[in-house]
Amino acid sequence: MLDIKITKTTSPKAKPTGKLGFGKIFTDHMFLMNYTRGKGWHDPRIEPFHDLTLSPACMVFHYGQEMFEGLKAYKAADGSNYLFRPDMNAKRTNNTNDRLCIPQIPVEDFVQAVKAIVSVDQDWIPTEPGTSLYIRPFIIATEPFLGVDVSETFLFMIILSPSGAYYESGLEPVGIWIEDEYVRAVRGGMGFAKTGGNYAASLAGQVKAHDDGYSQVLWLDGVERKYIEEVGAMNIFFKIDGKIVTPMLNGSILPGITRDSVLQICRDWGLPTEERRISVDDLLEAQANGKLEEVFGTGTAAVISPVGKLRYKDDVMVIGDGKIGEISQKLYDTVTGIQLGKIEDKFGWRVKVD
Ligand SMILES: *Cc1c(COP(=O)(O)O)cnc(C)c1O
């Protein structure tokens, strides 16, 4: 159990009105906890949201030793506040930390910290349909030292951002660019870890895709550039000839919590599922035979993101009829229904914030 010291703001901000968008508005408070080698994690605290004072020599600025997580808090119709599988974010934090030589945080301490900060700022959880409070835990290396080494000090923080409905006008299928020049991650690298470096490596591909009118990049494996890995910040699923297929976790793909939830729900529904290697050629062939029935991305931000178009070199695969697929819609309704407390939580995924 952390002994969290809470200092409340004396000048609360006005709550936002109108469209929230994503990631630009922050709540009144933040959680902080320091790590010092030899002492461990210490001084867990909640303070008014504030800027940081850091040495320009801090290791995070030079060699990128940092990690982040992303999850959401939801307000149910009865006024209860819920998190969705926060223990999974805590476990993934430690897998990321191990890869980046960042000290682990006990799972129960991580979950306690998330609950504590959400509880303090619970009035910031928006209630309009599709909205939620985005939670961003992250850790940075703070030792002021220009040598390449593991930092002796770290700062763990959690900030909160009320976020709008991902889709303003329903679940609209997006266009996806299959990138054949740049790669995001390789086996043995840090593709499975949630760390800024993976995103830095993805920007050039994203710019290319945007310039061509596609909203997201689908990455191929870094060795043969043949097998499907994942989308920028989402895992990818295909419905091929009645089967729900997704790339298997191979070390260079981020193990999404939404991905895991979708697989469990599909199995519960009795749908055949497969986690395997999928090549671009498999997709082109399925498309040519009329068997590529649905394509969707999964991630905390959008939950389910239907894909209407996939471009690979000179081929453009148009999926479905420009509308969300039947299974995609059903999965969206089921996952968000569980998150919001509208349907029975048979998997025990919802966690109440006191
Ligand atoms: C966070 C993330 C995902 C989605 O994970 P969820 O736990 O479902 O939100 C997928 N890919 C990448 C690269 C990510 O960073």
Side-chain angles (χ1 to χ4, degrees):
M1 273 287 274
L2 298 173
D3 183 16
I4 304 172
K5 184 170 168 244
I6 300 178
T7 310
K8 293 223 175 141
T9 181
T10 51
S11 48
K13 292 180 267 201
K15 303 283 186 301
T17 51
K19 285 213 177 9
L20 291 169
F22 177 78
K24 291 195 174 167
I25 301 163
F26 301 99
T27 64
D28 281 325
H29 299 89
M30 65 196 288
F31 174 89
L32 302 101
M33 180 161 71
N34 295 83
Y35 177 91
T36 309
R37 192 178 293 170
K39 191 171 170 186
W41 290 104
H42 59 91
D43 292 304
R45 59 203 183 274
I46 288 171
E47 296 178 351
F49 188 94
H50 60 78
D51 289 345
L52 302 174
T53 303
L54 291 168
S55 163
C58 277
M59 292 169 103
V60 64
F61 298 134
H62 306 279
Y63 310 119
Q65 198 185 11
E66 75 95 41
M67 66 78 56
F68 69 93
E69 268 299 330
L71 66 163
K72 286 173 166 179
Y74 310 86
K75 198 171 280 292
D78 68 357
S80 307
N81 304 314
Y82 290 116
L83 302 170
F84 184 71
R85 310 186 73 187
D87 54 308
M88 294 286 283
N89 296 93
K91 287 177 198 145
R92 190 168 64 191
T93 291
N94 286 332
N95 289 336
T96 298
N97 288 6
D98 285 350
R99 181 65 182 81
L100 283 141
C101 300
I102 297 171
Q104 291 209 351
I105 296 178
V107 168
E108 56 280 14
D109 290 356
F110 180 100
V111 174
Q112 185 196 347
V114 169
K115 282 183 175 172
I117 184 67
V118 170
S119 178
V120 166
D121 277 338
Q122 57 179 276
D123 291 348
W124 285 84
I125 306 177
T127 52
E128 293 292 305
T131 63
S132 58
L133 184 66
Y134 186 77
I135 306 167
R136 167 54 56 86
F138 63 112
I139 305 173
I140 56 171
T142 52
E143 185 187 344
F145 176 43
L146 296 184
V148 177
D149 205 345
V150 175
S151 181
E152 295 203 345
T153 59
F154 294 90
L155 184 58
F156 172 44
M157 288 168 277
I158 306 174
I159 56 176
L160 308 172
S161 178
S163 67
Y166 201 81
Y167 301 101
E168 310 258 305
S169 48
L171 290 161
E172 274 170 37
V174 296
I176 291 216
W177 169 282
I178 304 180
E179 174 59 39
D180 56 292
E181 178 191 3
Y182 299 116
V183 298
R184 186 193 86 103
V186 289
R187 254 156 280 165
M190 41 184 209
F192 69 89
K194 222 165 162 77
T195 182
N198 288 332
Y199 281 78
S202 77
L203 295 174
Q206 189 179 306
V207 168
K208 250 171 77 179
H210 283 179
D211 286 350
D212 240 60
Y214 288 81
S215 67
Q216 308 243 9
V217 174
L218 178 63
W219 298 101
L220 298 178
D221 76 281
V223 180
E224 295 176 74
R225 297 190 209 181
K226 210 168 118 176
Y227 298 102
I228 306 289
E229 298 238 304
E230 62 171 313
V231 185
M234 292 191 293
N235 296 108
I236 188 93
F237 281 77
F238 306 94
K239 180 161 171 265
I240 302 175
D241 200 15
K243 268 195 198 128
I244 305 298
V245 190
T246 193
M248 63 201 258
L249 300 178
N250 61 357
S252 55
I253 296 175
L254 200 286
I257 296 163
T258 320
R259 174 188 182 279
D260 181 80
S261 307
V262 159
L263 281 170
Q264 289 197 49
I265 291 169
C266 287
R267 286 177 190 138
D268 182 59
W269 288 344
L271 289 173
T273 61
E274 270 180 9
E275 296 175 74
R276 63 166 167 95
R277 289 218 290 194
I278 308 159
S279 66
V280 183
D281 289 342
D282 291 343
L283 292 185
L284 290 166
E285 196 193 310
Q287 171 75 356
N289 297 334
K291 293 190 169 163
L292 186 57
E293 293 154 1
E294 292 185 36
V295 182
F296 57 93
T298 64
T300 295
V303 185
I304 302 291
S305 180
V307 175
K309 199 166 71 167
L310 282 166
R311 167 266 170 206
Y312 177 67
K313 296 188 177 163
D314 293 330
D315 285 306
V316 176
M317 297 175 247
V318 175
I319 293 105
D321 52 4
K323 287 200 235 54
I324 182 169
E326 188 193 332
I327 296 293
S328 311
Q329 180 73 56
K330 211 172 143 200
L331 282 165
Y332 179 84
D333 294 341
T334 304
V335 177
T336 56
I338 294 173
Q339 289 168 336
L340 286 165
K342 283 186 189 160
I343 58 179
E344 189 208 338
D345 178 24
K346 65 191 281 188
F347 302 96
W349 288 338
R350 222 160 38 220
V351 172
K352 200 167 171 168
V353 179
D354 312 308

